[in-house]
Amino acid sequence: MSSCKKDQSNYDYKDHEKITVTGIESSYTLISELESLNLKPEVTSTDPNANFEYLWGIYETNVQGSVPVLDTLAKTKNLNYLIKQAAKGWVLVYRVTNKNTGYSQYINVPVNVVTEFTRGWYVAKDDGTDTDLDLFLTPTSIVPTGKRENVYSSINGSKLPGQANLLSFLTGYKSTVTGVLGNTRTLALSTDKDMATVNVNTLKKIYTLDNIMFDTPPVKGPCYTFLGSGAYYLINGGNIHSIVNNSPNIGKFGGRFLRDASNNPYQLSKYFMSNNSGNAYLYDETSSSFFAIGSGYGTALSSISDVTGTAMSATNTNQKVLFMGIKSATYLPSPALRYTFAGCAVFQDKTNPSNKTVSHVEMDLFTMKFTNTSLTSADKLYNAAHITMPFGQENILYFSIGGNQVWSRNLSNNFEKLEYTVPAGEEITFIRHKNGTEVNYAYNYIMVGSKINGTYKIRMFNKSSGSITGNPIVTLEGTGAAKDVLYISPSVSEFTHNIQW
Amino acid sequence: MRKLLYILLVIAVAAVTSCKQDQYYLFNDVGRVQFGPEPNRIYTTSYDLADTLKPYTFYYEDPSVVQDTIFFDIYAIGGTKDADRTFSLEQEQIPNAVNAVAGTHYVGFGDQKVNKFYVIKKGTVHTRVPIIVLRDASLKNSTPKLKFRIVANADFQLGEQNKLWRKIEITDRLSQPAQWNASFTQYYFGKYSVVKHSFLINSSGEKWDNDFITNMYAVGGLLSYYQLTMKTALINYNNAHPGAPLVDEFGEVVVFP
């Protein structure tokens, strides 16, 4: 029987064919509806009798809820195609097939489709009544060369009510701006009276507080929008709502979380400690207690348990939170397989307001541990106004005092240092630290916003060993009072910046 | 010898079991007819027994509405034909239950108003069976059941045994929607009661009928929204009635999981 078996062995000992394609860059960045892909590749093969056929296609990246489809652009050797795709990441595919052998060579090239709005420094500012966005254009480097003032109102017809708060960036936010429900690169602009999600490709608003929930909220603002693990959060009027981004959603925030099974009232602080890798930690000013939410799920805030050795309980602290923020996230290996957070909080005693404390805070699941250091009136931090904590950097706080001075406090040794004084007449409106690693656009800046005579300045300084070095590398100027600033580019995702005060 | 006996025993068992008739019918069998799920679900085995029971209530309808139509999907197997083929239905009495009465609670299967639609059109294998339910005054305080089954006729033999019947529960009171199923109970709103159902309707201003529940599943995040807001509404109700929490018709305190 075995002798009857047909011999299907391959006795072709020729080398594998090699098709070589040159003349295609490793990536392209193009402005939608304006620039074209003009490609004239050279194609050769080790098969001297090669007879090629060609196919150009493109598919989108960062797709959720559907399988990316290759859209055929051309079946010619060269490509001349006006980019019409939405501003986001795409992959250009060039397939060359030798019809003689059936062998194909695929070339995949990332294509960043952008608009004039997809790269630059965005400034959230207000005129005391309403909020707008300024965009500083950065076509060649992190230092801007042009400016578009009031881009939010010029595109949407009106400013956003209220004074500006936080500016956040969400890249997994769901909307139907392209006609199909999908991830949308979205700016979340929060004010003390409203909030708006804004498609960063067009700067058209998607929702405001009037329609971003399934019902109309009884109060409007103050609003703070930020990212959690698999979730987005919105604090509105001291109550918190979530979008569980790990589950199907349409970009609308859910109902108001309960504080407990009795629906006792609560009023969340504007400060939060939240990150894409763990729980969101919140502070209720009514009960003077910390709470947490995991991944946006649930119907009630989760209570916090105390850890042995904590300097104070997380519940009924009798403290007012003057600031809190995350310093770092640490991954615990198996069997834990989760992140823990470390951060810092500045407290003021409710009974004796002259008692202030700076606290090192450790957070793991639904526990918190506080290590407190008392502040005296001799400490500059004691009188701090605007405070910020850099994420993933030195163990340090930056803060303003007296309206014009920027100080740092090394939290490892409590050393305080005057970092910068804004020119006379200017008043500091915010301090932030942000950094980015994009090639040709890398930065690691301490940012100081100030206002004078109805105009703002945002000075961005290099940081060395925790301190400001030299003069500002970037200075943004415009009308109004600036409250936050964010750098956006096609490579920036919601994980790039840790959104906090 | 013993080994031989074992072998013979195995062969005997195999011979007996192999004689069992296959319960499934082939596509080229004689014409048969049986109920099934909606056409887009026919290849999803978990939906094989979907729609066997359809509760219906006139509760949400305007008083001027005196009848309504409920549809079931029915399928011919054994291929298509070049001529229309009729199928026949009859009521099956359910022991120890309030059975629906033809002419009172529904239009009887022999009535031309409905049986003219009991046709599988030529070249097709599917149609929707209309059952007309009637709003009798008795439905205000009872929920009669209408169980009906396919009867073999000249055009069709019977299909698979467990797909030959369907059931409707007819009432003019608030009743458990079909979409308030085991999953909805376990994961979202808990055990059904008329009191809970009324509370949801009054608290939300929504119907909480099949269409509403289906839409909650379809719109991402909406189900969670209602879970949270209805739980909040229940807490607020119980807070406003200290010592007298909302209790359902079974005497149990209403809860949302």
Side-chain angles (χ1 to χ4, degrees):
Chain A
M1 286 176 70
S2 60
S3 61
C4 295
K5 191 176 178 185
K6 189 176 181 181
D7 184 357
Q8 294 183 327
S9 302
N10 183 354
Y11 294 102
D12 183 357
Y13 298 117
K14 282 191 294 189
D15 288 337
H16 286 302
E17 180 183 3
K18 185 177 181 184
I19 296 176
T20 303
V21 178
T22 58
I24 297 179
E25 304 287 333
S26 58
S27 68
Y28 294 94
T29 298
L30 298 156
I31 298 175
S32 186
E33 301 283 0
L34 185 66
E35 295 182 309
S36 296
L37 275 168
N38 270 311
L39 304 178
K40 295 177 180 174
E42 289 299 320
V43 180
T44 58
S45 170
T46 52
D47 175 9
N49 301 314
N51 180 14
F52 295 121
E53 65 179 8
Y54 310 93
L55 182 138
W56 296 91
I58 195 166
Y59 66 87
E60 61 181 312
T61 59
N62 193 24
V63 173
Q64 195 165 324
S66 62
V67 178
V69 176
L70 185 73
D71 187 12
T72 301
L73 303 180
K75 293 186 175 180
T76 53
K77 178 172 180 287
N78 299 333
L79 179 67
N80 184 3
Y81 176 74
L82 175 66
I83 280 288
K84 301 171 186 171
Q85 279 68 18
K88 60 175 298 186
W90 297 78
V91 173
L92 177 71
V93 177
Y94 185 41
R95 187 186 72 190
V96 180
T97 303
N98 182 350
K99 289 194 281 188
N100 287 341
T101 61
Y103 177 70
S104 294
Q105 177 73 45
Y106 285 81
I107 306 294
N108 297 314
V109 181
V111 176
N112 282 322
V113 179
V114 301
T115 68
E116 60 180 332
F117 303 120
T118 52
R119 177 181 287 282
W121 291 101
Y122 278 95
V123 174
K125 62 165 196 180
D126 63 67
D127 56 12
T129 305
D130 297 314
T131 288
D132 215 321
L133 290 171
D134 286 350
L135 169 62
F136 292 81
L137 304 168
T138 57
T140 56
S141 78
I142 198 70
V143 179
T145 56
K147 179 172 68 168
R148 292 288 205 90
E149 278 199 282
N150 303 318
V151 281
Y152 177 86
S153 61
S154 65
I155 287 173
N156 294 292
S158 61
K159 296 176 183 290
L160 192 64
Q163 295 184 6
N165 279 328
L166 282 176
L167 185 57
S168 309
F169 188 52
L170 318 173
T171 45
Y173 182 76
K174 305 293 183 295
S175 83
T176 55
V177 294
T178 62
V180 179
L181 185 69
N183 289 344
T184 307
R185 295 170 63 79
T186 300
L187 283 168
L189 178 59
S190 303
T191 77
D192 63 355
K193 290 182 180 172
D194 208 338
M195 68 84 64
T197 48
V198 181
N199 177 2
V200 81
N201 295 335
T202 60
L203 283 200
K204 290 180 181 172
K205 67 184 175 189
I206 303 169
Y207 291 125
T208 65
L209 205 52
D210 285 334
N211 52 9
I212 202 166
M213 297 185 190
F214 287 108
D215 54 12
T216 306
V219 294
K220 295 188 81 172
C223 294
Y224 315 101
T225 311
F226 54 97
L227 175 74
S229 172
Y232 302 131
Y233 296 104
L234 169 63
I235 294 176
N236 174 43
N239 295 312
I240 192 161
H241 307 254
S242 74
I243 293 173
V244 180
N245 219 27
N246 287 335
S247 295
N249 72 83
I250 58 169
K252 293 204 173 203
F253 285 93
R256 163 192 172 272
F257 270 71
L258 295 160
R259 196 189 97 183
D260 51 33
S262 299
N263 191 18
N264 279 309
Y266 65 93
Q267 181 73 30
L268 292 181
S269 164
K270 71 174 188 177
Y271 297 105
F272 51 85
M273 293 192 277
S274 184
N275 180 280
N276 65 76
S277 55
N279 289 341
Y281 297 88
L282 311 158
Y283 188 74
D284 172 27
E285 293 174 338
T286 302
S287 64
S288 301
S289 300
F290 285 90
F291 291 91
I293 303 176
S295 301
Y297 284 109
T299 54
L301 304 174
S302 297
S303 299
I304 299 293
S305 300
D306 298 325
V307 174
T308 304
T310 187
M312 67 179 195
S313 172
T315 305
N316 301 323
T317 65
N318 196 38
Q319 301 291 316
K320 180 180 178 184
V321 169
L322 301 178
F323 169 80
M324 65 179 181
I326 292 184
K327 179 181 69 177
S328 61
T330 304
Y331 186 67
L332 301 180
S334 181
L337 302 177
R338 65 176 183 272
Y339 281 89
T340 62
F341 293 158
C344 177
V346 180
F347 296 111
Q348 180 178 32
D349 192 87
K350 282 186 173 178
T351 305
N352 187 351
S354 63
N355 289 347
K356 295 183 181 179
T357 308
V358 59
S359 182
H360 171 71
V361 188
E362 297 166 58
M363 294 149 274
D364 184 16
L365 297 176
F366 295 96
T367 68
M368 296 178 87
K369 181 182 179 183
F370 300 90
T371 304
N372 291 351
T373 302
S374 294
L375 295 173
T376 70
S377 56
D379 290 302
K380 296 296 180 186
L381 183 60
Y382 187 90
N383 293 311
H386 302 283
I387 307 175
T388 194
M389 168 160 244
F391 180 78
Q393 304 277 314
E394 295 85 355
N395 187 25
I396 201 166
L397 288 180
Y398 301 102
F399 55 92
S400 69
I401 59 172
N404 64 342
Q405 293 182 343
V406 178
W407 285 73
S408 65
R409 180 184 176 97
N410 184 327
L411 294 171
S412 299
N413 58 18
N414 299 330
F415 177 73
E416 294 181 327
K417 178 187 175 186
L418 177 63
E419 298 284 353
Y420 181 72
T421 302
V422 297
E426 292 186 26
E427 178 189 346
I428 294 173
T429 55
F430 73 89
I431 302 175
R432 295 280 190 281
H433 170 271
K434 294 188 195 306
N435 61 314
T437 57
E438 183 181 355
V439 174
N440 297 327
Y441 289 88
Y443 66 96
N444 187 349
Y445 291 157
I446 298 168
M447 304 159 166
V448 181
S450 62
K451 65 178 181 180
I452 180 169
N453 299 329
T455 63
Y456 70 81
K457 286 191 176 184
I458 302 173
R459 297 178 175 88
M460 304 189 186
F461 301 89
N462 271 329
K463 180 170 70 69
S464 176
S465 301
S467 282
I468 286 176
T469 59
N471 294 318
I473 306 300
V474 174
T475 301
L476 310 179
E477 297 183 56
T479 57
K483 300 297 176 59
D484 204 354
V485 61
L486 204 55
Y487 189 73
I488 301 297
S489 77
S491 68
V492 170
S493 81
E494 61 189 15
F495 308 128
T496 304
H497 304 295
N498 201 64
I499 298 300
Q500 58 185 8
W501 293 94
Chain B
M1 187 61 184
R2 180 173 289 180
K3 192 180 283 181
L4 183 60
L5 278 174
Y6 283 141
I7 292 169
L8 288 173
L9 186 62
V10 168
I11 291 171
V13 169
V16 170
T17 56
S18 64
C19 290
K20 191 176 177 185
Q21 188 177 356
D22 189 345
Q23 291 186 351
Y24 298 99
Y25 297 110
L26 298 175
F27 68 94
N28 57 357
D29 193 7
V30 296
R32 296 180 184 276
V33 70
Q34 63 188 34
F35 291 111
E38 292 178 2
N40 61 336
R41 303 289 193 189
I42 57 172
Y43 297 115
T44 310
T45 51
S46 58
Y47 281 82
D48 268 4
L49 297 180
D51 297 339
T52 50
L53 168 66
K54 286 192 177 181
Y56 178 83
T57 180
F58 284 101
Y59 178 85
Y60 303 108
E61 306 303 330
D62 187 85
S64 62
V65 175
V66 295
Q67 67 177 46
D68 203 350
T69 307
I70 303 167
F71 290 93
F72 292 88
D73 291 273
I74 198 163
Y75 297 87
I77 53 179
T80 58
K81 294 286 183 193
D82 285 337
D84 291 353
R85 291 174 291 172
T86 61
F87 55 86
S88 302
L89 303 174
E90 67 175 11
Q91 183 176 5
E92 179 182 333
Q93 294 294 315
I94 306 170
N96 305 317
V98 178
N99 283 276
V101 176
T104 301
H105 301 124
Y106 73 102
V107 175
F109 298 110
D111 194 313
Q112 259 231 311
K113 263 197 282 186
V114 288
N115 69 12
K116 64 183 177 186
F117 296 110
Y118 297 170
V119 177
I120 302 285
K121 293 283 188 186
K122 68 177 183 179
T124 71
V125 293
H126 167 255
T127 194
R128 296 173 76 212
V129 183
I131 308 294
I132 298 177
V133 290
L134 305 174
R135 193 173 202 172
D136 186 67
S138 63
L139 298 180
K140 280 289 182 192
N141 48 30
S142 69
T143 306
K145 296 175 174 59
L146 170 60
K147 184 176 183 183
F148 56 97
R149 58 186 301 114
I150 301 165
V151 185
N153 64 9
D155 285 332
F156 288 111
Q157 293 298 302
L158 300 180
E160 292 175 44
Q161 195 62 37
N162 59 356
K163 296 177 181 174
L164 298 179
W165 62 273
R166 286 294 186 260
K167 195 160 70 175
I168 305 171
E169 292 177 351
I170 315 161
T171 189
D172 201 355
R173 302 177 294 183
L174 199 55
S175 70
Q176 183 169 0
Q179 285 287 19
W180 192 313
N181 51 27
S183 166
F184 194 74
T185 299
Q186 181 175 354
Y187 298 112
Y188 299 106
F189 288 91
K191 178 185 167 188
Y192 178 84
S193 71
V194 170
V195 171
K196 181 184 281 187
H197 200 174
S198 300
F199 180 81
L200 293 171
I201 292 169
N202 295 334
S203 299
S204 65
E206 300 290 346
K207 285 184 173 181
W208 292 79
D209 57 3
N210 278 336
D211 289 345
F212 177 75
I213 295 174
T214 301
N215 186 58
M216 273 202 298
Y217 280 109
V219 178
L222 193 56
L223 199 48
S224 300
Y225 163 77
Y226 275 111
Q227 258 191 303
L228 209 166
T229 51
M230 292 300 99
K231 191 168 190 169
T232 303
L234 181 60
I235 291 170
N236 290 343
Y237 174 91
N238 289 339
N239 286 345
H241 300 82
L246 189 64
V247 174
D248 66 20
E249 63 270 30
F250 310 112
E252 297 178 14
V253 174
V254 172
V255 292
F256 296 120

